Amino acid sequence: LGAIAKTIATVVTYPLQLTQTVLRLENSGYKGIVDCLIQLYRRAGYKEWYTGMRAKLLQTVLTAAFTFLTYEQILGAVQSAFLQ
């Protein structure tokens, strides 16, 4: 469930993360967030907003899975140590 929530959050917020990255480049030529989003959209439509999202989704889902696994392992170890 956590991985699904993180996936949805990534899909929704990715265009803003991409915009932030583009604006940080030197001489990006954009006037701000809205201008950047509009120019990216004009260049190639919505597809441009999600360029590189596969790698971000992979990172997000793997991080969520690893965090959940680590939490479960630590919780199991603590419970077995203190409940015996």
Side-chain angles (χ1 to χ4, degrees):
L1 188 61
I4 294 170
K6 286 203 173 265
T7 300
I8 292 169
T10 299
V11 169
V12 170
T13 61
Y14 191 77
L16 295 175
Q17 292 176 353
L18 177 67
T19 302
Q20 181 183 29
T21 302
V22 170
L23 288 173
R24 286 185 177 174
L25 296 173
E26 268 187 59
N27 303 319
S28 67
Y30 299 108
K31 297 174 187 167
I33 295 171
V34 175
D35 181 51
C36 183
L37 284 170
I38 291 170
Q39 295 298 327
L40 290 173
Y41 178 77
R42 286 181 182 161
R43 187 179 315 152
Y46 291 107
K47 184 176 78 171
E48 188 73 15
W49 288 357
Y50 293 98
T51 301
M53 190 178 70
R54 284 186 204 166
K56 181 64 177 170
L57 276 176
L58 181 63
Q59 173 197 11
T60 300
V61 171
L62 289 177
T63 301
F66 181 73
T67 301
F68 181 71
L69 176 67
T70 304
Y71 172 78
E72 290 294 321
Q73 292 295 318
I74 291 172
L75 183 63
V78 169
Q79 285 177 342
S80 67
F82 288 107
L83 295 178
Q84 289 184 356

Coordinates of all heavy atoms in Angstrom, one line a residue:
L1 N 0.8 -1.2 0.0 CA 0.0 0.0 0.0 C 0.9 1.3 0.0 O 0.6 2.2 -0.7 CB -0.9 0.0 1.2 CG -2.0 1.1 1.3 CD1 -2.9 0.9 0.1 CD2 -2.8 0.9 2.5
G2 N 2.0 1.2 0.8 CA 2.9 2.4 0.8 C 3.5 2.6 -0.5 O 3.7 3.8 -0.9
A3 N 3.9 1.5 -1.2 CA 4.5 1.7 -2.6 C 3.5 2.3 -3.6 O 3.9 3.1 -4.4 CB 5.0 0.4 -3.0
I4 N 2.3 1.9 -3.5 CA 1.2 2.5 -4.4 C 1.1 3.9 -4.1 O 1.0 4.7 -5.0 CB -0.1 1.7 -4.2 CG1 0.1 0.3 -4.7 CG2 -1.2 2.4 -5.0 CD1 -1.1 -0.6 -4.3
A5 N 1.0 4.3 -2.8 CA 0.9 5.7 -2.5 C 2.1 6.5 -3.0 O 1.9 7.6 -3.5 CB 0.7 5.9 -1.0
K6 N 3.3 6.0 -2.8 CA 4.4 6.7 -3.3 C 4.5 6.8 -4.8 O 4.9 7.8 -5.3 CB 5.7 6.0 -2.7 CG 5.9 6.2 -1.3 CD 7.4 6.0 -0.9 CE 7.7 6.4 0.5 NZ 8.1 7.8 0.6
T7 N 4.0 5.8 -5.5 CA 3.9 5.8 -6.9 C 3.0 6.9 -7.4 O 3.3 7.7 -8.3 CB 3.5 4.5 -7.5 OG1 4.4 3.5 -7.1 CG2 3.4 4.5 -9.0
I8 N 1.8 7.0 -6.8 CA 0.8 8.0 -7.1 C 1.4 9.4 -6.9 O 1.3 10.3 -7.7 CB -0.5 7.8 -6.4 CG1 -1.2 6.5 -6.9 CG2 -1.4 9.0 -6.6 CD1 -2.3 6.1 -6.1
A9 N 2.1 9.6 -5.7 CA 2.6 10.9 -5.3 C 3.7 11.3 -6.3 O 3.8 12.4 -6.7 CB 3.2 10.8 -3.9
T10 N 4.5 10.3 -6.8 CA 5.6 10.6 -7.7 C 5.0 11.0 -9.1 O 5.5 12.0 -9.7 CB 6.5 9.4 -7.9 OG1 7.1 9.0 -6.7 CG2 7.6 9.6 -8.9
V11 N 4.0 10.3 -9.5 CA 3.4 10.7 -10.8 C 2.8 12.1 -10.8 O 2.9 12.8 -11.7 CB 2.3 9.6 -11.2 CG1 1.5 10.1 -12.4 CG2 3.0 8.3 -11.5
V12 N 2.2 12.4 -9.6 CA 1.5 13.7 -9.5 C 2.6 14.9 -9.4 O 2.4 15.9 -10.0 CB 0.6 13.7 -8.3 CG1 0.1 15.1 -8.0 CG2 -0.6 12.8 -8.6
T13 N 3.6 14.6 -8.7 CA 4.6 15.7 -8.4 C 5.8 15.7 -9.4 O 6.5 16.7 -9.3 CB 5.1 15.6 -7.0 OG1 5.8 14.4 -6.8 CG2 4.0 15.7 -5.9
Y14 N 5.9 14.7 -10.2 CA 7.1 14.7 -11.0 C 7.3 15.9 -11.9 O 8.4 16.4 -12.1 CB 7.2 13.4 -11.9 CG 8.5 13.2 -12.5 CD1 9.6 12.8 -11.8 CD2 8.7 13.5 -13.9 CE1 10.8 12.6 -12.4 CE2 9.9 13.4 -14.5 CZ 11.0 13.0 -13.7 OH 12.2 12.9 -14.3
P15 N 6.2 16.4 -12.6 CA 6.4 17.6 -13.4 C 7.0 18.8 -12.6 O 7.9 19.5 -13.2 CB 5.0 17.9 -13.9 CG 4.3 16.6 -13.9 CD 4.9 15.9 -12.7
L16 N 6.7 18.9 -11.4 CA 7.2 20.0 -10.6 C 8.7 19.7 -10.2 O 9.5 20.7 -10.2 CB 6.4 20.2 -9.3 CG 5.0 20.7 -9.6 CD1 4.2 20.8 -8.3 CD2 5.0 22.0 -10.3
Q17 N 9.0 18.5 -10.0 CA 10.4 18.1 -9.7 C 11.3 18.4 -10.9 O 12.4 18.9 -10.8 CB 10.5 16.7 -9.2 CG 9.9 16.4 -7.9 CD 10.0 15.0 -7.5 OE1 10.3 14.1 -8.3 NE2 9.6 14.7 -6.3
L18 N 10.7 18.0 -12.1 CA 11.5 18.2 -13.3 C 11.7 19.7 -13.6 O 12.8 20.2 -13.9 CB 10.7 17.6 -14.5 CG 11.3 17.9 -15.9 CD1 12.6 17.1 -16.0 CD2 10.3 17.4 -17.0
T19 N 10.6 20.5 -13.3 CA 10.7 22.0 -13.5 C 11.7 22.5 -12.6 O 12.5 23.4 -13.0 CB 9.3 22.6 -13.2 OG1 8.4 22.0 -14.1 CG2 9.4 24.1 -13.4
Q20 N 11.8 22.1 -11.3 CA 12.8 22.6 -10.4 C 14.2 22.3 -10.9 O 15.0 23.2 -10.8 CB 12.5 21.9 -9.0 CG 13.5 22.4 -7.9 CD 13.2 21.6 -6.6 OE1 12.8 20.4 -6.6 NE2 13.5 22.2 -5.5
T21 N 14.4 21.1 -11.4 CA 15.7 20.7 -11.9 C 16.1 21.6 -13.1 O 17.2 22.1 -13.2 CB 15.7 19.2 -12.3 OG1 15.4 18.5 -11.2 CG2 17.1 18.8 -12.8
V22 N 15.2 21.8 -14.0 CA 15.4 22.6 -15.2 C 15.7 24.0 -14.8 O 16.7 24.6 -15.4 CB 14.2 22.5 -16.2 CG1 14.4 23.5 -17.3 CG2 14.1 21.1 -16.8
L23 N 15.0 24.6 -13.9 CA 15.2 26.0 -13.5 C 16.5 26.2 -12.8 O 17.1 27.3 -12.8 CB 14.1 26.4 -12.6 CG 12.7 26.7 -13.3 CD1 11.6 27.0 -12.2 CD2 12.8 27.8 -14.3
R24 N 17.1 25.1 -12.2 CA 18.4 25.3 -11.5 C 19.5 25.3 -12.5 O 20.6 25.6 -12.1 CB 18.5 24.1 -10.5 CG 17.7 24.3 -9.3 CD 18.0 23.2 -8.3 NE 17.2 23.4 -7.1 CZ 17.1 22.6 -6.1 NH1 17.8 21.5 -6.1 NH2 16.4 22.9 -5.0
L25 N 19.3 24.9 -13.7 CA 20.4 24.9 -14.7 C 20.7 26.3 -15.0 O 19.9 27.2 -15.0 CB 19.9 24.2 -16.0 CG 19.6 22.7 -15.9 CD1 19.0 22.2 -17.2 CD2 20.8 21.9 -15.5
E26 N 22.0 26.6 -15.2 CA 22.4 27.9 -15.6 C 21.9 28.3 -16.9 O 21.8 27.5 -17.8 CB 24.0 28.0 -15.7 CG 24.6 28.3 -14.4 CD 26.1 28.5 -14.6 OE1 26.5 29.4 -15.4 OE2 26.9 27.8 -13.9
N27 N 21.4 29.5 -17.0 CA 20.9 30.1 -18.3 C 19.7 29.2 -18.8 O 19.7 28.9 -20.0 CB 22.0 30.2 -19.3 CG 23.1 31.1 -18.8 OD1 22.9 32.1 -18.2 ND2 24.3 30.7 -19.1
S28 N 18.8 28.8 -17.9 CA 17.7 28.0 -18.4 C 16.8 28.8 -19.4 O 16.2 28.2 -20.2 CB 16.9 27.5 -17.2 OG 16.3 28.5 -16.5
G29 N 16.7 30.1 -19.2 CA 15.9 30.9 -20.1 C 14.4 30.9 -19.8 O 13.7 31.6 -20.5
Y30 N 14.1 30.3 -18.7 CA 12.7 30.3 -18.3 C 12.5 31.4 -17.2 O 13.3 31.7 -16.4 CB 12.2 29.0 -17.7 CG 12.4 27.8 -18.7 CD1 13.4 26.9 -18.5 CD2 11.5 27.7 -19.7 CE1 13.5 25.8 -19.4 CE2 11.6 26.7 -20.6 CZ 12.6 25.8 -20.5 OH 12.7 24.7 -21.4
K31 N 11.2 32.0 -17.2 CA 10.9 33.1 -16.3 C 10.5 32.6 -14.9 O 10.4 33.4 -14.0 CB 9.9 34.0 -16.9 CG 10.4 34.7 -18.2 CD 9.2 35.4 -18.9 CE 9.7 35.9 -20.2 NZ 8.6 36.4 -21.0
G32 N 10.1 31.4 -14.9 CA 9.6 30.8 -13.6 C 9.0 29.4 -13.8 O 9.1 28.9 -14.9
I33 N 8.3 28.9 -12.8 CA 7.8 27.6 -12.8 C 6.7 27.4 -13.9 O 6.7 26.5 -14.7 CB 7.2 27.2 -11.4 CG1 8.3 27.1 -10.4 CG2 6.4 25.9 -11.5 CD1 7.8 27.0 -9.0
V34 N 5.7 28.4 -13.9 CA 4.6 28.3 -14.9 C 5.2 28.4 -16.3 O 4.8 27.6 -17.2 CB 3.6 29.3 -14.6 CG1 2.5 29.3 -15.7 CG2 3.0 29.1 -13.2
D35 N 6.1 29.3 -16.5 CA 6.7 29.5 -17.9 C 7.4 28.2 -18.3 O 7.3 27.8 -19.4 CB 7.6 30.7 -17.9 CG 8.2 30.9 -19.3 OD1 7.5 31.0 -20.2 OD2 9.5 31.0 -19.3
C36 N 8.1 27.6 -17.4 CA 8.9 26.4 -17.7 C 7.9 25.3 -18.1 O 8.1 24.6 -19.1 CB 9.7 26.0 -16.5 SG 10.7 24.6 -16.8
L37 N 6.8 25.1 -17.3 CA 5.8 24.1 -17.6 C 5.2 24.3 -18.9 O 5.0 23.3 -19.7 CB 4.8 24.0 -16.5 CG 5.2 23.3 -15.2 CD1 4.2 23.6 -14.1 CD2 5.5 21.9 -15.3
I38 N 4.8 25.5 -19.2 CA 4.2 25.9 -20.5 C 5.1 25.6 -21.7 O 4.8 25.0 -22.7 CB 3.7 27.3 -20.5 CG1 2.5 27.5 -19.5 CG2 3.3 27.8 -21.9 CD1 2.1 28.9 -19.3
Q39 N 6.4 26.0 -21.5 CA 7.4 25.8 -22.6 C 7.6 24.3 -22.8 O 7.8 23.9 -24.0 CB 8.7 26.6 -22.3 CG 8.5 28.1 -22.3 CD 8.1 28.6 -23.6 OE1 8.4 28.1 -24.7 NE2 7.3 29.7 -23.6
L40 N 7.8 23.6 -21.8 CA 8.0 22.1 -21.9 C 6.8 21.5 -22.6 O 6.9 20.6 -23.4 CB 8.2 21.5 -20.5 CG 9.5 21.8 -19.9 CD1 9.6 21.2 -18.4 CD2 10.7 21.3 -20.7
Y41 N 5.6 21.9 -22.2 CA 4.4 21.4 -22.8 C 4.3 21.7 -24.3 O 4.0 20.8 -25.1 CB 3.1 21.9 -22.1 CG 1.8 21.4 -22.7 CD1 1.4 20.1 -22.5 CD2 1.1 22.2 -23.6 CE1 0.2 19.7 -23.1 CE2 -0.1 21.8 -24.2 CZ -0.5 20.5 -23.9 OH -1.6 20.0 -24.5
R42 N 4.6 22.9 -24.7 CA 4.6 23.3 -26.1 C 5.6 22.5 -26.9 O 5.4 22.3 -28.1 CB 4.9 24.8 -26.2 CG 3.7 25.7 -25.8 CD 4.0 27.1 -26.0 NE 2.8 27.9 -25.5 CZ 2.9 29.2 -25.2 NH1 4.1 29.8 -25.3 NH2 1.8 29.8 -24.8
R43 N 6.7 22.2 -26.3 CA 7.8 21.4 -27.0 C 7.3 20.0 -27.4 O 7.5 19.6 -28.5 CB 9.0 21.3 -26.1 CG 10.2 20.7 -26.9 CD 11.5 20.7 -26.0 NE 11.7 21.9 -25.3 CZ 12.4 21.9 -24.1 NH1 12.9 20.8 -23.6 NH2 12.6 23.1 -23.5
A44 N 6.7 19.3 -26.4 CA 6.3 17.9 -26.8 C 5.1 17.4 -26.0 O 4.9 16.2 -25.9 CB 7.5 17.0 -26.5
G45 N 4.3 18.3 -25.5 CA 3.1 17.9 -24.8 C 3.4 17.4 -23.4 O 4.4 17.6 -22.8
Y46 N 2.4 16.6 -22.9 CA 2.6 16.1 -21.5 C 3.7 15.1 -21.4 O 4.3 14.9 -20.4 CB 1.3 15.4 -21.1 CG 0.1 16.3 -20.9 CD1 -1.0 16.4 -21.8 CD2 0.1 17.1 -19.8 CE1 -2.0 17.2 -21.5 CE2 -0.9 18.0 -19.5 CZ -2.0 18.1 -20.4 OH -3.0 18.9 -20.2
K47 N 4.1 14.5 -22.5 CA 5.2 13.5 -22.5 C 6.5 14.2 -22.0 O 7.2 13.5 -21.3 CB 5.4 13.0 -24.0 CG 6.4 11.9 -24.1 CD 6.5 11.4 -25.5 CE 7.2 12.3 -26.4 NZ 7.5 11.8 -27.7
E48 N 6.7 15.4 -22.4 CA 7.9 16.1 -21.9 C 7.9 16.3 -20.4 O 9.0 16.3 -19.8 CB 8.0 17.5 -22.6 CG 9.2 18.2 -22.4 CD 10.4 17.6 -23.2 OE1 10.2 16.8 -24.1 OE2 11.5 18.0 -22.9
W49 N 6.8 16.4 -19.8 CA 6.7 16.6 -18.3 C 7.2 15.4 -17.6 O 7.6 15.4 -16.4 CB 5.3 17.0 -17.9 CG 4.8 18.3 -18.2 CD1 5.6 19.3 -18.8 CD2 3.6 18.9 -18.0 NE1 4.8 20.4 -19.0 CE2 3.6 20.2 -18.4 CE3 2.4 18.4 -17.4 CZ2 2.5 21.0 -18.3 CZ3 1.3 19.2 -17.3 CH2 1.4 20.5 -17.7
Y50 N 7.1 14.2 -18.3 CA 7.4 12.9 -17.6 C 8.6 12.3 -18.1 O 8.9 11.1 -17.9 CB 6.2 12.0 -17.7 CG 5.0 12.5 -16.9 CD1 4.0 13.2 -17.5 CD2 5.0 12.4 -15.5 CE1 2.9 13.7 -16.8 CE2 3.9 12.9 -14.8 CZ 2.9 13.6 -15.4 OH 1.9 14.1 -14.7
T51 N 9.5 13.1 -18.7 CA 10.8 12.5 -19.2 C 11.6 12.1 -18.0 O 11.8 12.9 -17.1 CB 11.5 13.6 -20.0 OG1 10.7 14.0 -21.1 CG2 12.9 13.1 -20.5
G52 N 12.1 10.9 -18.1 CA 12.9 10.4 -17.0 C 12.2 9.9 -15.8 O 12.8 9.5 -14.8
M53 N 10.9 9.8 -15.8 CA 10.1 9.4 -14.7 C 10.3 7.9 -14.3 O 10.2 7.5 -13.2 CB 8.6 9.7 -14.8 CG 7.9 9.5 -13.5 SD 6.2 9.9 -13.6 CE 5.5 8.6 -14.6
R54 N 10.6 7.1 -15.3 CA 10.8 5.6 -15.0 C 11.9 5.4 -14.0 O 11.7 4.6 -13.1 CB 11.2 4.9 -16.3 CG 10.0 4.7 -17.2 CD 10.5 3.8 -18.4 NE 9.6 4.1 -19.5 CZ 9.8 3.7 -20.7 NH1 11.0 3.0 -21.0 NH2 9.0 3.9 -21.7
A55 N 13.0 6.1 -14.1 CA 14.1 5.9 -13.2 C 13.6 6.4 -11.8 O 13.9 5.8 -10.8 CB 15.3 6.7 -13.6
K56 N 12.9 7.5 -11.7 CA 12.4 8.0 -10.4 C 11.4 7.1 -9.8 O 11.4 6.8 -8.6 CB 11.8 9.4 -10.7 CG 11.3 10.1 -9.4 CD 12.4 10.3 -8.4 CE 11.9 11.0 -7.2 NZ 12.9 11.1 -6.1
L57 N 10.5 6.5 -10.6 CA 9.6 5.5 -10.1 C 10.3 4.3 -9.6 O 9.9 3.8 -8.5 CB 8.5 5.1 -11.2 CG 7.4 6.0 -11.3 CD1 6.5 5.6 -12.5 CD2 6.5 6.1 -10.1
L58 N 11.3 3.8 -10.3 CA 12.0 2.6 -9.8 C 12.7 3.0 -8.5 O 12.6 2.2 -7.6 CB 13.0 2.3 -10.9 CG 13.9 1.0 -10.6 CD1 13.0 -0.2 -10.4 CD2 15.0 0.8 -11.6
Q59 N 13.3 4.1 -8.4 CA 14.0 4.5 -7.2 C 12.9 4.6 -6.0 O 13.2 4.1 -4.9 CB 14.6 5.9 -7.3 CG 15.2 6.4 -6.1 CD 15.5 7.9 -6.1 OE1 15.1 8.6 -7.1 NE2 16.2 8.4 -5.1
T60 N 11.8 5.2 -6.3 CA 10.8 5.4 -5.2 C 10.2 4.1 -4.7 O 10.1 3.9 -3.5 CB 9.6 6.3 -5.8 OG1 10.2 7.5 -6.2 CG2 8.6 6.5 -4.8
V61 N 9.9 3.2 -5.7 CA 9.3 1.9 -5.3 C 10.3 1.1 -4.5 O 10.0 0.4 -3.5 CB 8.7 1.2 -6.5 CG1 8.3 -0.2 -6.2 CG2 7.5 2.0 -7.0
L62 N 11.5 1.0 -5.0 CA 12.6 0.2 -4.3 C 12.9 0.8 -3.0 O 13.1 0.0 -2.0 CB 13.8 0.1 -5.2 CG 13.7 -0.7 -6.5 CD1 15.0 -0.6 -7.3 CD2 13.4 -2.1 -6.1
T63 N 12.9 2.1 -2.8 CA 13.2 2.7 -1.5 C 12.0 2.4 -0.6 O 12.3 2.0 0.6 CB 13.3 4.2 -1.7 OG1 14.4 4.5 -2.5 CG2 13.6 4.9 -0.3
A64 N 10.8 2.5 -1.0 CA 9.7 2.1 -0.2 C 9.7 0.7 0.3 O 9.5 0.3 1.4 CB 8.4 2.5 -0.9
A65 N 10.0 -0.2 -0.7 CA 10.1 -1.6 -0.4 C 11.2 -1.9 0.6 O 11.0 -2.7 1.6 CB 10.3 -2.5 -1.6
F66 N 12.4 -1.3 0.4 CA 13.5 -1.5 1.3 C 13.2 -1.0 2.7 O 13.5 -1.6 3.7 CB 14.7 -0.8 0.8 CG 15.9 -1.0 1.7 CD1 16.6 -2.2 1.7 CD2 16.4 0.0 2.4 CE1 17.7 -2.4 2.5 CE2 17.5 -0.1 3.2 CZ 18.2 -1.4 3.3
T67 N 12.5 0.2 2.8 CA 12.2 0.8 4.1 C 11.2 -0.1 4.8 O 11.3 -0.4 6.0 CB 11.5 2.2 3.9 OG1 12.5 3.0 3.2 CG2 11.1 2.8 5.2
F68 N 10.2 -0.6 4.1 CA 9.2 -1.5 4.7 C 9.9 -2.8 5.2 O 9.6 -3.3 6.3 CB 8.1 -1.9 3.7 CG 7.0 -2.7 4.3 CD1 6.1 -2.3 5.2 CD2 6.9 -4.1 3.8 CE1 5.2 -3.1 5.7 CE2 6.0 -4.9 4.4 CZ 5.1 -4.4 5.3
L69 N 10.7 -3.4 4.4 CA 11.4 -4.6 4.8 C 12.3 -4.4 6.0 O 12.3 -5.2 7.0 CB 12.3 -5.1 3.6 CG 13.2 -6.3 3.9 CD1 12.3 -7.6 4.1 CD2 14.1 -6.6 2.8
T70 N 13.0 -3.3 6.0 CA 13.9 -3.0 7.2 C 13.1 -2.8 8.4 O 13.4 -3.3 9.5 CB 14.7 -1.7 6.9 OG1 15.5 -1.9 5.7 CG2 15.7 -1.4 8.0
Y71 N 12.0 -2.1 8.3 CA 11.1 -1.8 9.5 C 10.6 -3.2 10.0 O 10.6 -3.4 11.2 CB 9.9 -0.9 9.0 CG 8.8 -0.8 10.1 CD1 9.0 0.0 11.2 CD2 7.7 -1.5 10.0 CE1 8.1 0.1 12.2 CE2 6.7 -1.4 11.0 CZ 6.9 -0.6 12.1 OH 5.9 -0.5 13.0
E72 N 10.1 -4.0 9.1 CA 9.6 -5.3 9.6 C 10.6 -6.2 10.2 O 10.4 -6.8 11.2 CB 9.0 -6.1 8.4 CG 7.7 -5.5 7.8 CD 6.5 -5.5 8.8 OE1 6.4 -6.6 9.5 OE2 5.8 -4.5 8.9
Q73 N 11.8 -6.2 9.7 CA 12.9 -6.9 10.3 C 13.3 -6.4 11.7 O 13.5 -7.2 12.6 CB 14.2 -6.9 9.4 CG 13.9 -7.7 8.1 CD 13.7 -9.1 8.3 OE1 14.4 -9.8 9.1 NE2 12.7 -9.7 7.6
I74 N 13.4 -5.1 11.8 CA 13.8 -4.5 13.1 C 12.6 -4.7 14.1 O 12.9 -5.1 15.3 CB 14.1 -3.0 12.9 CG1 15.4 -2.9 12.2 CG2 14.2 -2.3 14.3 CD1 15.7 -1.4 11.8
L75 N 11.4 -4.6 13.7 CA 10.3 -4.8 14.6 C 10.2 -6.2 15.1 O 10.0 -6.5 16.2 CB 9.0 -4.5 13.9 CG 7.7 -4.6 14.7 CD1 7.7 -3.6 15.8 CD2 6.5 -4.4 13.8
G76 N 10.5 -7.2 14.2 CA 10.5 -8.6 14.5 C 11.6 -8.9 15.5 O 11.4 -9.6 16.5
A77 N 12.8 -8.3 15.3 CA 13.9 -8.5 16.2 C 13.7 -7.9 17.6 O 14.0 -8.6 18.6 CB 15.2 -7.9 15.6
V78 N 13.1 -6.8 17.6 CA 12.8 -6.1 18.9 C 11.7 -6.9 19.7 O 11.8 -7.1 20.9 CB 12.4 -4.6 18.7 CG1 11.8 -4.0 19.9 CG2 13.6 -3.8 18.2
Q79 N 10.7 -7.3 19.0 CA 9.6 -8.0 19.6 C 10.1 -9.4 20.2 O 9.8 -9.8 21.3 CB 8.5 -8.3 18.7 CG 7.6 -7.0 18.4 CD 6.5 -7.3 17.4 OE1 6.5 -8.2 16.6 NE2 5.5 -6.4 17.4
S80 N 11.0 -10.1 19.4 CA 11.5 -11.3 19.9 C 12.4 -11.2 21.0 O 12.5 -12.0 21.9 CB 12.1 -12.1 18.7 OG 13.3 -11.5 18.3
A81 N 13.2 -10.0 21.1 CA 14.1 -9.8 22.1 C 13.4 -9.4 23.4 O 13.9 -9.8 24.5 CB 15.1 -8.7 21.7
F82 N 12.3 -8.7 23.4 CA 11.7 -8.2 24.6 C 10.5 -9.0 25.0 O 10.0 -8.8 26.1 CB 11.3 -6.7 24.4 CG 12.5 -5.8 24.4 CD1 12.9 -5.2 23.2 CD2 13.2 -5.5 25.5 CE1 14.0 -4.3 23.2 CE2 14.2 -4.7 25.5 CZ 14.7 -4.1 24.4
L83 N 9.9 -9.8 24.1 CA 8.7 -10.6 24.5 C 9.1 -12.0 25.0 O 8.2 -12.7 25.3 CB 7.7 -10.6 23.3 CG 7.2 -9.2 22.9 CD1 6.2 -9.4 21.7 CD2 6.4 -8.6 24.1
Q84 N 10.3 -12.3 25.0 CA 10.7 -13.7 25.5 C 10.9 -13.7 27.0 O 11.1 -13.0 27.8 CB 12.0 -14.2 24.8 CG 11.7 -14.5 23.4 CD 12.9 -15.0 22.7 OE1 14.0 -15.1 23.4 NE2 12.8 -15.4 21.5

